[in-house]
Amino acid sequence: MNMRLPVVPTASQAAPFIHPVVSDAMAPTYRAGQHSVICLPVEAYVCEGIYLVDGELYRCERAGNYVEVWRDNPAWTKYRIHIDLFNDSPLALVVADITVRNSIGQDIMRAAA
């Protein structure tokens, strides 16, 4: 098995950032207005997990020369993207999530994003 080490951002790249969940495409895992995620910018696919790809959240898993991409909401279909096309997209790996407890927290999260 060939293990790939995570791509560590360089000093010129952005630091981890907060991204608000703006749709229910990842429900029930994340819901709009109730969650935000902390994302780490990466240069390429690192490991199985949830990625922010072009501003949208997707669950991703490597499958040979492709990455299988899907949403947790069953209304969305799973599909495959060639690894090169995936890696050419602006990417960030979700490393933590934040549950917003009330409307004050929602306002703070919106302001932080």
Side-chain angles (χ1 to χ4, degrees), residues 36-104:
S36 290
V37 293
I38 299 175
C39 301
L40 178 66
V42 293
E43 296 173 356
Y45 181 90
V46 176
C47 60
E48 178 181 329
I50 298 174
Y51 285 76
L52 185 66
V53 182
D54 287 331
E56 298 286 334
L57 292 171
Y58 295 94
R59 192 170 294 278
C60 302
E61 182 178 304
R62 184 80 183 258
N65 288 331
Y66 294 86
V67 177
E68 291 185 336
V69 177
W70 69 96
R71 308 285 188 112
D72 289 355
N73 187 322
W76 292 83
T77 304
K78 182 186 279 192
Y79 58 96
R80 287 181 164 202
I81 300 173
H82 193 275
I83 188 70
D84 293 338
L85 182 60
F86 184 84
N87 289 341
D88 285 344
S89 302
L91 300 172
L93 180 63
V94 173
V95 295
D97 52 75
I98 301 166
T99 301
V100 179
R101 301 284 180 217
N102 53 43
S103 62
I104 295 170

